Amino acid sequence: MKSKFYKVTCKCGHVGKKWFIRISFPVNAESGKEAAQIARSIPRVKHDHKDAILGCVEIDYEEYLLLQVINSNDPYLKCSNKQEQEKIAELSLRMEPEPRYMTVERKNKRQNIEFKLKKQKYIEDLDDDYEEYLIGGMYEQFAY
């Protein structure tokens, strides 16, 4: 079977848990599924994310070579530690927020305290009702 060329767009990491950088990698494979598997194993791709592969498109050889040149000149893909990565100009402009962490809503301390007070009052009311039930039941038992 003849191998084809694919442009696989992936979420790349090492920029924080809540962020990712979108990078397109050129991949030579026999099918799109195989190209996605190969791209997932490339360094810097978020391997643990199910949605790490954003897209897979078949391309021609010229575009494949162009993507190779672009990626070989990308300073983000060349750096080997955080200090080098911080020196990259305008890296923060390439960063995109991770959707899975954007919907998390934090409760403030006041809401937590109000909830605990309501819970405590509810339990006290239940205890009072239970005591009244027991006392009332005792009087009925001996009231002949």
Side-chain angles (χ1 to χ4, degrees):
M1 192 172 203
K2 187 178 176 185
S3 65
K4 301 173 186 174
F5 302 105
Y6 291 92
K7 175 174 85 171
V8 184
T9 307
C10 304
K11 289 182 180 181
C12 293
H14 301 290
V15 289
K17 183 177 179 180
K18 297 181 180 180
W19 303 94
F20 72 92
I21 293 180
R22 185 183 305 259
I23 303 264
S24 295
F25 294 102
V27 178
N28 186 3
E30 292 185 8
S31 68
K33 188 174 183 178
E34 184 183 339
Q37 288 176 342
I38 292 169
R40 186 177 284 276
S41 65
I42 294 174
R44 288 201 174 256
V45 173
K46 292 197 174 214
H47 307 294
D48 59 330
H49 289 226
K50 291 180 182 177
D51 58 344
I53 307 300
L54 298 172
C56 184
V57 180
E58 189 174 347
I59 57 174
D60 59 347
Y61 185 67
E62 289 79 24
E63 193 172 351
Y64 175 82
L65 293 176
L66 180 66
L67 275 174
Q68 281 185 333
V69 170
I70 290 170
N71 286 347
S72 65
N73 293 326
D74 189 353
Y76 169 72
L77 295 175
K78 286 184 175 182
C79 66
S80 60
N81 57 38
K82 187 171 180 139
Q83 290 78 15
E84 290 177 7
Q85 187 169 310
E86 288 174 353
K87 292 178 185 177
I88 298 173
E90 301 177 356
L91 182 66
S92 61
L93 298 177
R94 294 174 61 186
M95 293 170 44
E96 300 177 35
E98 182 66 51
R100 70 165 61 176
Y101 298 112
M102 296 305 290
T103 59
V104 176
E105 188 176 308
R106 304 268 183 207
K107 293 183 179 179
N108 62 18
K109 197 171 185 177
R110 182 179 175 148
Q111 288 175 332
N112 194 16
I113 291 170
E114 288 174 357
F115 171 74
K116 287 182 179 181
L117 289 173
K118 283 181 183 178
K119 183 178 171 184
Q120 184 178 3
K121 187 174 186 293
Y122 178 75
I123 291 172
E124 288 173 359
D125 289 345
L126 282 179
D127 288 343
D128 292 343
D129 292 343
Y130 185 66
E131 287 175 11
E132 289 176 15
Y133 170 74
L134 286 178
I135 292 171
M138 287 182 178
Y139 288 132
E140 288 176 8
Q141 193 175 25
F142 298 110
Y144 341 3

